[in-house]
Amino acid sequence: DARVTQTPRHKVTEMGQEVTMRCQPILGHNTVFWYRQTMMQGLELLAYFRNRAPLDDSGMPKDRFSAEMPDATLATLKIQPSEPRDSAVYFCASGENRDPGTEAFFGQGTRLTVV
Amino acid sequence: QKEVEQNSGPLSVPEGAIASLNCTYSDRVSQSFFWYRQYSGKSPELIMSIYSNGDKEDGRFTAQLNKASQYVSLLIRDSQPSDSATYLCAVNMVRGAQKLVFGQGTRLTINP
């Protein structure tokens, strides 16, 4: 059953705490996207990787967010320190880069609440 | 101008009718376009991909692409209550190493 796996599914944390979200992409996929979804902003692209290299993280607040791919089976998104405005659903998606484009498949998401 | 724009709706369509969803994009050289369906509380699900001008049909769904007008649409024939969801248009932006950018989504309700 090929699917993107995200953990945790839900996270409630206090303002100022570090939050780490994890994503296991579909085996064989070489592109990983991180999105944040809120009612007001919709799906915002935070960062994405191809062959584990970061290609674009311009959508991410650099002072508190960081994204990494320590290996091909794991992508992480960290927030430190977390703030109430970070409350959202964070999605990871993976795809196989090929001409003319990349179809992305989404994980179940991590629902983050910062209080 | 937003990179991908959709009418946020809500769009209400009677059961059995055709639902028409529209999307425009800013990157003139984009080559790949997608439609996702997202049920409330769930993750987006890929339902259609289109790369060439014209129509692409898959069951009750038809995607239409017009690169000259920078316009992509999704038609749903014989709409069913189970089609009620938010539909997201996504575009691989060539300018930007093919980052995948989503529109705001259109909320569709099919009325029995």
Side-chain angles (χ1 to χ4, degrees), chain A residues 14-72:
Chain A
E14 291 185 345
M15 182 172 62
Q17 296 298 305
E18 177 178 301
V19 175
T20 298
M21 291 169 271
R22 293 177 173 80
C23 168
Q24 180 177 1
I26 294 172
L27 186 66
H29 282 184
N30 66 346
T31 304
V32 173
F33 302 91
W34 281 107
Y35 291 92
R36 174 172 62 185
Q37 188 173 42
T38 60
M39 287 293 291
M40 291 300 295
Q41 300 297 327
L43 263 175
E44 299 175 273
L45 179 64
L46 297 176
Y48 74 110
F49 296 78
R50 181 155 299 136
N51 298 320
R52 295 177 55 203
L55 286 189
D56 189 334
D57 61 1
S58 60
M60 208 162 62
K62 300 291 191 306
D63 56 337
R64 298 185 300 108
F65 285 61
S66 62
E68 295 179 343
M69 272 201 82
D71 62 61

Side-chain angles (χ1 to χ4, degrees), chain A residues 43-106:
Chain A
L43 263 175
E44 299 175 273
L45 179 64
L46 297 176
Y48 74 110
F49 296 78
R50 181 155 299 136
N51 298 320
R52 295 177 55 203
L55 286 189
D56 189 334
D57 61 1
S58 60
M60 208 162 62
K62 300 291 191 306
D63 56 337
R64 298 185 300 108
F65 285 61
S66 62
E68 295 179 343
M69 272 201 82
D71 62 61
T73 63
L74 177 64
T76 62
L77 180 66
K78 290 186 181 180
I79 308 174
Q80 168 63 24
S82 58
E83 297 180 2
R85 59 180 167 151
D86 300 329
S87 297
V89 180
Y90 290 80
F91 286 108
C92 173
S94 74
E96 186 180 350
N97 174 240
R98 50 185 171 184
D99 188 28
T102 303
E103 293 182 339
F105 299 89
F106 280 73

Side-chain angles (χ1 to χ4, degrees), chain A residues 35 37 40 48 102-104 107, chain B residues 36 38 43 49 92 96-97 100 104:
Chain A
Y35 291 92
Q37 188 173 42
M40 291 300 295
Y48 74 110
T102 303
E103 293 182 339
Chain B
Y36 286 77
Q38 186 175 25
S43 56
S49 306
N92 267 145
L100 187 62
Q104 194 77 357

Side-chain angles (χ1 to χ4, degrees), chain B residues 4 7 21 24 29-30 50-51 70 72 76 81-82 90 97 103-105:
Chain B
V4 181
N7 187 328
L21 304 156
T24 58
V29 297
S30 292
I50 187 165
Y51 307 107
Q70 295 173 238
V72 58
I76 306 174
S82 59
Q104 194 77 357

Side-chain angles (χ1 to χ4, degrees), chain B residues 49-68:
Chain B
S49 306
I50 187 165
Y51 307 107
S52 304
N53 278 328
D55 295 359
K56 179 182 177 183
E57 189 175 313
D58 183 0
R60 295 186 296 111
F61 297 93
T62 299
Q64 299 175 316
L65 176 61
N66 183 327
K67 290 183 182 178

